[in-house]
């Protein structure tokens, strides 16, 4: 089954407007239209409107890193799906391990957020991943299975859903899963998605790998049969590195 790869950059809490413009100008030169990979950059909220304008005329899509589930009202500091949609956001990252761990986001909250984004007409990158102690204890698939079950329901418009497998011990650490470790978990996720949404969805849903993806390790990870692209943190802040990861994904398709 050939799935079109999807590479998304998670800028996290980085970039002033000046820095973002410089990064985007590099990306515009390096990521040529027509590349056989879907590409998105998920910027901080303050950069959505200006970066949306910078992306005009490119094939790169705009993404956000969070979204609240309520539609409007007294929720200081939050941003709704309708607000993101109006800013031309196409993808929203939900359930990143930093949101789960630092901000204590629960499975129930994440499920509401996933639903609000999908109902609001955007696509969702839903992140799952185990801690190092959970991997060492042999409970990786239990943890991932629980995160999938908590955050997703069979009532969702799954055609606009991407799963990102991000082992927490690999995020921002320079340590990455081996291709075998990634493939094993991706195959497990695919099976769970087929169980939840049906065999077709299991075959077509894209599953990204995330966790210290760099130009030097992208090709071997992207070559895994169930790895359909990457969610990239640190390396997405360097235009040349991000472009090189996108090219590695394109090369994996044409093989
Ligand atoms: C991430 O934040 O989703 C991520 C994978 O970060 P990094 O690539 O820096 O490990």
């Amino acid at each position: 089954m050939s799935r079109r790869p999807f590479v998304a950059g998670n800028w996290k809490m980085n970039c002033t407007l000046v820095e973002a413009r410089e990064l985007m100008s590099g990306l515009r030169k390096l990521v040529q239209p027509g590349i056989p990979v879907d590409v998105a950059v998920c910027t901080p909220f303050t950069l959505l409107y200006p970066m949306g304008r910078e992306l005009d005329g490119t094939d790169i899509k705009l993404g956000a890193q969070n979204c609240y589930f309520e539609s409007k009202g007294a929720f200081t500091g939050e941003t709704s799906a309708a607000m993101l949609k109006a800013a031309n956001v196409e993808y929203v990252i939900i359930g990143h391990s930093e949101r789960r761990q630092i901000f204590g986001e629960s499975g129930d909250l994440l499920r509401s957020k996933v639903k609000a984004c999908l109902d609001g007409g955007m696509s969702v990158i839903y992140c799952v991943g185990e801690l190092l102690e959970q991997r060492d204890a042999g409970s990786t698939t239990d943890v991932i299975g629980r995160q999938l079950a908590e955050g997703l329901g069979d009532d969702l418009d799954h055609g606009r859903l991407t799963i990102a497998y991000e082992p927490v011990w690999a995020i921002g650490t320079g340590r990455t899963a081996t291709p075998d470790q990634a493939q094993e978990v991706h195959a497990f996720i695919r099976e769970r998605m087929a169980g939840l949404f049906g065999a077709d969805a299991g075959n077509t849903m894209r599953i990204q790998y995330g966790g210290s993806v760099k130009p030097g390790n992208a090709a071997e990870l992207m070559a895994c049969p169930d790895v359909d692209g990457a969610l990239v943190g640190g390396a997405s802040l360097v235009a040349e590195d991000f472009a090189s990861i996108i090219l590695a994904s394109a090369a994996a398709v044409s093989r």
Side-chain angles (χ1 to χ4, degrees):
M1 168 87 215
S2 131
R3 290 169 291 268
R4 186 177 161 91
F6 175 27
V7 177
N10 175 11
W11 288 9
K12 310 195 190 196
M13 196 175 72
N14 291 293
C15 290
T16 61
L17 180 55
V18 171
E19 291 163 343
R21 287 215 162 108
E22 197 180 321
L23 173 55
M24 198 56 87
S25 128
L27 282 181
R28 288 175 62 106
K29 285 185 207 126
L30 293 165
V31 183
Q32 295 297 321
I35 191 162
V37 178
D38 288 338
V39 179
V41 288
C42 301
T43 78
F45 289 137
T46 52
L47 296 172
L48 289 173
Y49 276 100
M51 288 307 105
R53 281 192 292 274
E54 303 259 344
L55 291 177
D56 265 357
T58 75
D59 283 352
I60 306 172
K61 308 292 187 204
L62 188 64
Q65 302 169 19
N66 189 17
C67 174
Y68 199 51
F69 67 90
E70 294 283 5
S71 56
K72 59 161 66 177
F75 303 102
T76 302
E78 294 298 331
T79 307
S80 72
M83 290 169 179
L84 295 180
K85 182 75 179 163
N88 289 326
V89 166
E90 296 194 34
Y91 294 94
V92 187
I93 300 172
I94 300 289
H96 192 280
S97 65
E98 287 150 17
R99 300 296 318 173
R100 291 177 189 267
Q101 292 192 297
I102 303 172
F103 301 100
E105 295 197 352
S106 68
D108 279 352
L109 175 64
L110 296 176
R111 191 184 186 115
S112 306
K113 289 184 169 197
V114 168
K115 188 156 173 32
C117 291
L118 293 175
D119 289 352
M122 294 175 290
S123 299
V124 166
I125 301 171
Y126 180 66
C127 303
V128 295
E130 81 287 3
L131 303 170
L132 186 56
E133 53 266 35
Q134 293 169 326
R135 173 162 283 271
D136 288 345
S139 51
T140 297
T141 50
D142 289 347
V143 171
I144 307 290
R146 181 168 34 77
Q147 291 172 337
L148 292 171
E150 283 174 350
L152 308 174
D154 59 7
D155 56 335
L156 295 178
D157 185 355
H158 56 78
R160 279 186 280 109
L161 185 63
T162 295
I163 307 295
Y165 168 54
E166 300 204 305
V168 180
W169 47 269
I171 296 180
T173 59
R175 188 177 162 189
T176 191
T178 64
D180 283 352
Q181 286 173 323
Q183 171 55 30
E184 189 183 8
V185 178
H186 280 234
F188 169 79
I189 293 172
R190 194 170 299 293
E191 198 185 291
R192 283 295 161 102
M193 292 300 93
L196 189 60
F197 299 118
D200 250 23
N203 279 329
T204 54
M205 192 173 294
R206 293 182 295 189
I207 307 174
Q208 297 173 320
Y209 171 79
S212 297
V213 177
K214 307 278 178 221
N217 59 25
E220 58 178 15
L221 287 161
M222 298 307 124
C224 298
D226 286 300
V227 175
D228 309 313
L231 181 55
V232 185
S236 72
L237 297 170
V238 180
E240 291 75 15
D241 289 359
F242 191 52
S244 149
I245 293 167
I246 294 165
L247 291 177
S249 306
V253 184
S254 52
R255 229 176 277 134

